Amino acid sequence: MTNQEANTHAWGSEVYSQLSWFKSDSVSSSKVMVVGCGALGNEVLKNLVLFGVEHLVVVDFDIIEHGNLTRSIFFTRRDAQMNRSKVEVIAERLKQINPAVQVLPIEGDIAYNVGLGLLHSMDVIIGCVDNRLARYQLNRLCMRTGVPWVDGGIEGLEGTVRVFIPGKNCYACNLGPEGLKDLSQRLSCASVIKRNESNGRVATTPVVASIIGAVQVQEAIKLVHQEELKKGALTSMCGKMFYYEGQHLTSRIIEFEAYDEDCPVHERWTPVQQSKLHAGMMVEEALESLTQQFGLEQASICLRDFSFVDYLTERSNDRKTIVMQPSYKVMDFAENHPDLKYLLWSELYQHEYLYIDEKFPYKRLTLQQIGIPVWDILPIKTKKGLFYVETLKNTTI
């Protein structure tokens, strides 16, 4: 540890030790994932590092645009001109605040590019996403791994914060039928900003992002202090919603708890067994490793929330186009293909595999090539039933 790092530790410990409930060791060793690095994510990450959190994972698939600059403390005009990724810049700037912080940047989609093994290793996850679909997907992953998450949302001069803990409160259960129908209407933050700026308005303000981000981090820090929560020294917002409205300066706490035991999103992937699999392993090697390690006659890897597509067929003429991509990449593939980009999606048929077993014809592909991220948890179907295995991790965060 350098002198600068040691001074950073001493400063954080000295200041926050004045809070009777604050455990600096618990905070510094905690692992926190932040999903979304826009205006809200900037504020959340800044506060986490100032609090002394030293193990962070940041997830976002966007690049920095000029529209981000008025609301994001870590981004500069040069970053936007260079089309730099948000997570890359965030990782650099956080270490400027505290050189001791470890940041794992993941440029991708939380639904498909982040392994469940990595999520499972987190103490708390903070959602700074901008739409219901992303929240639903994040909630589903947190329920599978048993990790609590803190949701934040901002629009105009309004903002909300909610806490979801597996077994106590579920985002999907709180949506209701109408909310579930609306999941397909995914509107990115960039498009919201452009639409409002064209009408002379700004979608969000730095003030709202600062307030909501601060409350999110406050709730996340509470979740790290489990003993203090149990003793009543702290109270979690789980089961309630904090609402802030800046135009007329009002705020209130609203009851926001729903947990339907029959909700399919609550499926907990447990127990999890360690395996010798890794993302770079070929399918044939992976299947052989599973049968040998667990004494199985045969095993089938169930793909998580996606399929593997080997080709698309045009319904009008049966012409096939080779794809060899996970299903979540197929739409972009078709939109950029010279023979497919002018066709409607309904004019194509997708040939896919939901299970990877001995009948899978592309056994020389790696697990990562068929769409499985690194450090994942995989459902394995066998004659003995379904069980879960964790692939080898690739990070020390």
Side-chain angles (χ1 to χ4, degrees):
M1 181 182 297
T2 66
N3 289 334
Q4 185 178 8
E5 291 171 347
N7 290 336
T8 303
H9 279 272
W11 172 81
S13 300
E14 180 181 350
V15 172
Y16 295 119
S17 62
Q18 297 178 42
L19 300 172
S20 60
W21 52 268
F22 190 86
K23 302 294 186 293
S24 58
D25 289 343
S26 297
V27 173
S28 64
S29 63
S30 63
K31 298 178 180 179
V32 182
M33 178 182 291
V34 177
V35 183
C37 295
L40 198 52
N42 269 242
E43 290 295 326
V44 164
L45 287 159
K46 178 256 295 180
N47 290 334
L48 287 170
V49 174
L50 290 178
F51 253 125
V53 176
E54 295 182 1
H55 305 275
L56 291 166
V57 178
V58 292
V59 183
D60 200 303
F61 53 71
D62 278 339
I63 62 171
I64 299 169
E65 299 179 351
H66 287 282
N68 301 130
L69 302 183
T70 59
R71 294 169 290 278
S72 304
I73 189 172
F74 289 120
F75 302 151
T76 67
R77 187 175 302 276
R78 181 167 175 77
D79 295 328
Q81 291 171 343
M82 296 176 63
N83 293 321
R84 298 189 69 188
S85 72
K86 290 181 177 179
V87 294
E88 175 190 2
V89 172
I90 284 287
E92 292 178 5
R93 306 284 153 77
L94 292 178
K95 291 187 75 68
Q96 292 175 4
I97 298 177
N98 181 2
V101 69
Q102 299 179 44
V103 185
L104 174 63
I106 299 179
E107 188 174 357
D109 191 322
I110 183 63
Y112 305 111
N113 304 126
V114 182
L116 272 182
L118 178 58
L119 279 119
H120 187 254
S121 71
M122 296 293 108
D123 293 296
V124 61
I125 297 172
I126 304 180
C128 301
V129 296
D130 61 353
N131 62 86
R132 284 180 171 178
L133 178 57
R135 290 186 177 93
Y136 178 86
Q137 292 167 329
L138 178 55
N139 180 78
R140 178 176 55 190
L141 298 178
C142 289
M143 292 296 160
R144 286 176 181 173
T145 56
V147 179
W149 71 286
V150 183
D151 174 54
I154 54 176
E155 183 175 356
L157 295 180
E158 297 179 315
T160 59
V161 178
R162 296 167 290 184
V163 175
F164 299 99
I165 299 177
K168 295 183 179 180
N169 197 20
C170 169
Y171 176 77
C173 293
N174 279 281
L175 276 176
E178 292 302 317
L180 289 171
K181 287 181 182 178
D182 188 52
L183 283 177
S184 60
Q185 299 177 4
R186 186 182 188 279
L187 189 60
S188 72
C189 186
S191 62
V192 172
I193 291 173
K194 290 175 183 176
R195 183 187 65 198
N196 282 279
E197 286 181 341
S198 66
N199 293 325
R201 300 192 303 272
V202 177
T204 59
T205 72
V207 172
V208 172
S210 180
I211 292 169
I212 298 303
V215 176
Q216 281 185 278
V217 172
Q218 180 173 274
E219 290 303 308
I221 293 297
K222 290 179 184 178
L223 292 172
V224 172
H225 291 81
Q226 285 297 313
E227 290 187 13
E228 286 66 31
L229 283 172
K230 291 177 182 178
K231 294 176 182 177
L234 300 170
T235 300
S236 170
M237 200 184 296
C238 182
K240 301 180 184 298
M241 178 175 74
F242 170 75
Y243 171 77
Y244 172 83
E245 192 275 315
Q247 189 166 353
H248 303 289
L249 197 57
T250 61
S251 65
R252 59 182 181 272
I253 302 294
I254 304 168
E255 294 295 324
F256 200 91
E257 183 175 14
Y259 198 85
D260 183 354
E261 293 295 342
D262 296 325
C263 175
V265 174
H266 299 172
E267 179 188 22
R268 182 76 183 273
W269 287 17
T270 188
V272 177
Q273 304 182 56
Q274 298 297 314
S275 77
K276 300 176 182 178
L277 305 187
H278 60 83
M281 182 179 282
M282 289 189 295
V283 168
E284 59 184 4
E285 296 173 326
L287 293 176
E288 182 179 356
S289 177
L290 287 170
T291 56
Q292 290 182 354
Q293 181 178 351
F294 299 103
L296 304 170
E297 293 182 12
Q298 58 183 11
S300 176
I301 301 173
C302 307
L303 296 183
R304 185 193 84 186
D305 306 324
F306 69 93
S307 60
F308 179 78
V309 179
D310 53 354
Y311 62 85
L312 293 172
T313 302
E314 296 177 43
R315 295 182 185 273
S316 61
N317 55 21
D318 289 333
R319 183 172 64 178
K320 292 181 173 57
T321 301
I322 302 300
V323 178
M324 304 300 285
Q325 300 270 5
S327 57
Y328 55 83
K329 293 184 177 181
V330 173
M331 186 74 75
D332 286 340
F333 173 88
E335 290 178 351
N336 290 286
H337 194 282
D339 297 330
L340 304 177
K341 62 182 180 180
Y342 299 110
L343 298 177
L344 297 175
W345 188 246
S346 59
E347 297 179 83
L348 297 170
Y349 168 75
Q350 180 172 286
H351 188 264
E352 61 187 3
Y353 293 87
L354 296 172
Y355 301 94
I356 306 300
D357 53 24
E358 289 301 323
K359 297 179 182 178
F360 186 68
Y362 311 107
K363 294 188 180 66
R364 302 292 292 179
L365 293 178
T366 66
L367 298 181
Q368 194 163 14
Q369 285 175 322
I370 63 176
I372 295 173
V374 296
W375 199 0
D376 204 7
I377 295 175
L378 304 175
I380 308 298
K381 185 179 180 181
T382 74
K383 291 183 179 179
K384 300 178 182 180
L386 189 70
F387 68 100
Y388 303 96
V389 301
E390 183 175 330
T391 62
L392 296 176
K393 66 180 181 179
N394 70 323
T395 177
T396 56
I397 191 71

